Amino acid sequence: MLIKTLPVGQLETNCYVVTDETSMDCAVIDPGDESNSILNYLEEHKMNCRAILITHGHWDHTGAAAAIVEETGADLYIHQLDTTSNPMEARYKYLAPENTRFYDEGDEIHIGSLVFRVMFTPGHSPGGVTLVCEDAVFCGDTLFRGSCGRTDLPGGDINEELRSILRICKLPGEYDVFPGHMDSTTLERERNFNYYCRQALGL
């Protein structure tokens, strides 16, 4: 599994391209902006984008999604609670076209030999998800290195956030954590040193 991090947009959202190196099939996670940069990377490395996986519907994680769909024909997945048909809500929810696919807790998305397992992790937004693939966790803005996503935006809930963080922290084994912003980390580090993880764990 090859993981490429592409910080995009004014908030430097982490867009991830996750590739099965045998088939070169890939998923693009959270294409928030700069569609040309993302598409150029795919073309340069001869990758086949099979799916666009959205961790939550905020504009900085979805801004380039439509352009990637149009160029690649890939399926786009998001939790239904983070979508809207109202343009006035598009800053905090994805303005979803009719062909959008909805995923939820326990669903699996297969990309080549890779399997992305969906965890429903609301709190930062009503329809936030975390994607687990092999030893990697793509958690959007639910969990950051040393912190967590804000919960004071529309649809945020600190109690749900802590419950979601607890579920992530209780994943068995060791995982690398790829958040929506800032540097990657490890789940072990966050269990030990992240205030919100320790609060969720009751430490």
Side-chain angles (χ1 to χ4, degrees), residues 68-181:
I68 305 296
V69 168
E70 182 176 358
E71 186 66 27
T72 66
D75 293 325
L76 185 143
Y77 294 83
I78 188 172
H79 195 283
Q80 190 166 11
L81 289 178
D82 267 20
T83 66
T84 183
S85 58
N86 181 358
M88 298 300 292
E89 297 178 332
R91 184 171 180 83
Y92 300 110
K93 291 189 174 185
Y94 181 63
L95 194 61
E98 291 183 2
N99 59 348
T100 299
R101 296 173 178 258
F102 301 120
Y103 52 21
D104 205 341
E105 174 72 29
D107 287 343
E108 294 183 347
I109 308 300
H110 294 253
I111 306 295
S113 65
L114 303 178
V115 180
F116 293 84
R117 179 166 56 89
V118 179
M119 295 174 62
F120 178 50
T121 52
H124 176 66
S125 70
V129 302
T130 292
L131 303 163
V132 182
C133 184
E134 296 184 359
D135 60 354
V137 175
F138 302 91
C139 54
D141 290 359
T142 300
L143 180 64
F144 294 142
R145 180 183 176 97
S147 187
C148 72
R150 59 191 295 183
T151 58
D152 60 337
L153 299 173
D157 186 306
I158 185 58
N159 293 317
E160 285 195 331
E161 180 88 343
L162 289 172
R163 284 192 289 269
S164 293
I165 289 171
L166 178 61
R167 292 194 62 213
I168 295 171
C169 287
K170 284 189 169 182
L171 286 170
E174 295 304 316
Y175 292 87
D176 293 318
V177 176
F178 296 90
H181 301 273

